[in-house]
Amino acid sequence: MADRVVLAYSGGLDTSVAISWIGKETGAEVVAVAIDLGQGGEDMELVRQRALDCGAVEAIVVDARDEFADEYCLPTVQANALYMGRYPLVSAISRPLIVKHLVEAAEYHNASTVAHGCTGKGNDQVRFEVGIGALAPDLNVIAPVRDYAWTREKAIAFAEENSLPITVTKKSPFSIDQNLWGRAVETGFLEDLWNAPTKDVYDYTVDPTVNFEAPDELIVTFDRGIPVAIDGRPVSVLEAITELNTRAGRQGVGRLDMVEDRLVGIKSREIYEAPGAIALIAAHQELEAVTVERELGRYKRQVEQRWGELVYDGLWFSPLKRALDAFVRDTQEHVSGQIRMVLHGGNVVVNGRRSEESLYDFNLATYDEGDTFDQSLAKGFVQIHGLSSKVAARRDLSKKK
């Protein structure tokens, strides 16, 4: 039996050409694996057939939408993960799921090698290869686009020379990656940092500056950090994200234009649309503010930043990430309740919070009649709290004399 290579297959030009190219260069049979992450676009059966037409001996399509929502998007919500304080890891959280299925396919089909279509300048090559190394250290990895300096022109020429059934349409000026959790757009004229995005950059969101729809007020219900209902209607995590993508996207929520620090050491200008992600994380953060104890909340916010950096850097399967996952899960024990918020003009505004697990005590918080906070205790607390600073200040002042 010939050796086999499992290829992460998107259905586009590069990975379609890679099927034939890998076969010619290595003599191996290619098994194409396409993952449905809610990215929309082409029918996945057409994608599967294209892989076979391009020479794959097997073509697998995995409907991973619920898995993606439950096991990748949900932990991102519970970690309130925003890389550099803004980016909800749209592409980063999809790569480990793809890696998981590539490794499973390699084991099933007795393949010695996994292939992907990433370039050498981006983060995804790291996410794929480090992830594969963590799950299956003995698998080999090849990356034709990176390792053999493919260009679009070379790929088209190869397809024509080998009569591959690929219809090449006009090239989009952008590089686009999208899934259930959001949409990432880069390259083209966006590489000039002074150029503003044009309307054709966006697809998941309506321009909030020209949208005159009435504000959309809704209530999200959480049970231990899991969104379980919208406006009282039970939803799965997948349904919650899908509905909020539509409703928040219609209000222009979730547009990001940022320069981010890539893992490979360069800065890159990225445009993101993540309406459902931004709305869900905003709601979850507000519910945690009500239900999570102060010191735990302070420490969790440090963990959230580190969690997001690990995921961005392709270390989803690392020991530290697993340990932080356990911590985050534990923090969600009391994160149950309802958040009411208004979506409008590109903004998410929370205007109501309700929870049986709330740590908010009206009688302690009020300044009106019924106040149960003993203010007479505060004077001594303030003096002791600031004592170390006061002692140090006396020392420092004495040296200046």
Side-chain angles (χ1 to χ4, degrees):
M1 180 177 173
D3 190 19
R4 287 190 164 186
V5 174
V6 169
L7 171 68
Y9 185 65
S10 69
L13 173 67
D14 288 336
T15 54
S16 293
V17 167
I19 293 173
S20 179
W21 185 90
I22 291 170
K24 288 181 177 295
E25 288 292 318
T26 69
E29 297 175 338
V30 176
V31 177
V33 178
I35 313 292
D36 185 354
L37 299 172
Q39 61 264 38
E42 276 191 302
D43 181 275
M44 294 302 288
E45 185 54 37
L46 293 177
V47 172
R48 177 180 177 277
Q49 188 58 51
R50 182 177 304 129
L52 294 172
D53 292 342
C54 287
V57 296
E58 298 270 4
I60 303 161
V61 170
V62 180
D63 183 351
R65 289 174 294 178
D66 275 303
E67 181 185 6
F68 184 45
D70 292 339
E71 298 181 24
Y72 297 82
C73 300
L74 178 59
T76 306
V77 172
Q78 294 181 335
N80 299 318
L82 298 168
Y83 180 67
M84 296 179 69
R86 300 181 66 192
Y87 166 49
L89 303 168
V90 167
S91 297
I93 64 171
S94 73
R95 301 324 188 215
L97 184 155
I98 297 171
V99 163
K100 173 176 172 283
H101 286 283
L102 291 175
V103 169
E104 289 176 355
E107 181 178 353
Y108 181 82
H109 291 281
N110 295 314
S112 65
T113 304
V114 171
H116 62 78
C118 302
T119 71
K121 293 181 71 173
N123 301 308
D124 283 338
Q125 59 180 333
V126 181
R127 294 166 183 160
F128 274 105
E129 295 183 31
V130 171
I132 291 165
L135 296 183
D138 295 331
L139 275 178
N140 300 314
V141 182
I142 57 176
V145 175
R146 177 194 66 194
D147 299 342
Y148 297 93
W150 275 9
T151 62
R152 184 176 176 82
E153 289 70 28
K154 287 182 181 178
I156 292 172
F158 186 93
E160 292 174 346
E161 289 168 8
N162 292 275
S163 303
L164 298 181
I166 304 169
T167 302
V168 180
T169 58
K170 181 181 178 182
K171 182 185 177 184
S172 166
F174 312 117
S175 173
I176 300 171
D177 179 52
Q178 64 189 43
N179 57 49
L180 171 72
W181 196 232
R183 188 167 177 269
V185 185
E186 63 180 12
T187 72
F189 71 84
L190 296 172
E191 291 176 345
D192 184 333
L193 300 184
W194 194 248
N195 288 338
T198 52
K199 64 181 181 180
D200 59 330
V201 170
Y202 299 103
D203 185 58
Y204 283 14
T205 57
V206 173
D207 185 349
T209 64
V210 298
N211 173 31
F212 300 104
E213 282 199 29
D216 187 358
E217 184 175 86
L218 58 92
I219 297 173
V220 181
T221 302
F222 289 88
D223 181 15
R224 296 190 177 192
I226 303 171
V228 295
I230 295 178
D231 292 332
R233 289 177 288 99
V235 291
S236 66
V237 179
L238 174 60
E239 290 167 343
I241 298 168
T242 301
E243 179 169 342
L244 287 172
N245 272 338
T246 299
R247 294 175 68 171
R250 202 159 51 215
Q251 297 288 344
V253 169
R255 289 189 172 192
L256 304 171
D257 181 348
M258 62 183 288
V259 175
E260 70 185 41
D261 291 316
R262 281 189 180 177
L263 176 59
V264 294
I266 63 177
K267 290 185 180 289
S268 174
R269 201 265 188 95
E270 307 284 340
I271 305 297
Y272 295 111
E273 296 179 280
I278 294 300
L280 266 180
I281 290 174
H284 182 263
Q285 286 175 319
E286 287 292 330
L287 188 57
E288 283 196 335
V290 174
T291 59
V292 174
E293 183 269 336
R294 183 189 68 184
E295 294 306 315
L296 179 59
R298 286 178 173 177
Y299 194 79
K300 182 174 183 287
R301 284 187 283 277
Q302 298 177 48
V303 169
E304 290 169 356
Q305 178 177 332
R306 191 71 189 100
W307 192 96
E309 290 169 349
L310 289 169
V311 173
Y312 184 88
D313 291 349
L315 295 171
W316 181 276
F317 300 109
S318 67
L320 177 55
K321 159 67 167 47
R322 287 199 302 270
L324 296 185
D325 282 339
F327 169 80
V328 171
R329 282 194 298 270
D330 190 72
T331 65
Q332 299 304 292
E333 180 181 357
H334 301 292
V335 186
S336 299
Q338 295 180 319
I339 293 295
R340 188 178 66 232
M341 57 188 182
V342 177
L343 311 172
H344 189 58
N347 298 310
V348 179
V349 178
V350 171
N351 64 8
R353 307 147 181 87
R354 182 166 57 194
S355 173
E356 293 183 0
E357 302 278 357
S358 175
L359 297 177
Y360 177 83
D361 187 325
F362 176 84
N363 291 324
L364 287 175
T366 185
Y367 285 89
D368 296 332
E369 188 176 348
D371 183 3
T372 60
F373 185 85
D374 188 348
Q375 297 194 38
S376 67
L377 300 175
K379 182 175 181 179
F381 165 75
V382 172
Q383 291 176 344
I384 293 172
H385 181 67
L387 183 60
S388 63
S389 296
K390 189 174 184 179
V391 171
R394 282 177 175 158
R395 178 200 62 192
D396 296 343
L397 289 171
S398 69
K399 288 187 175 182
K400 293 180 180 179
K401 292 181 180 179

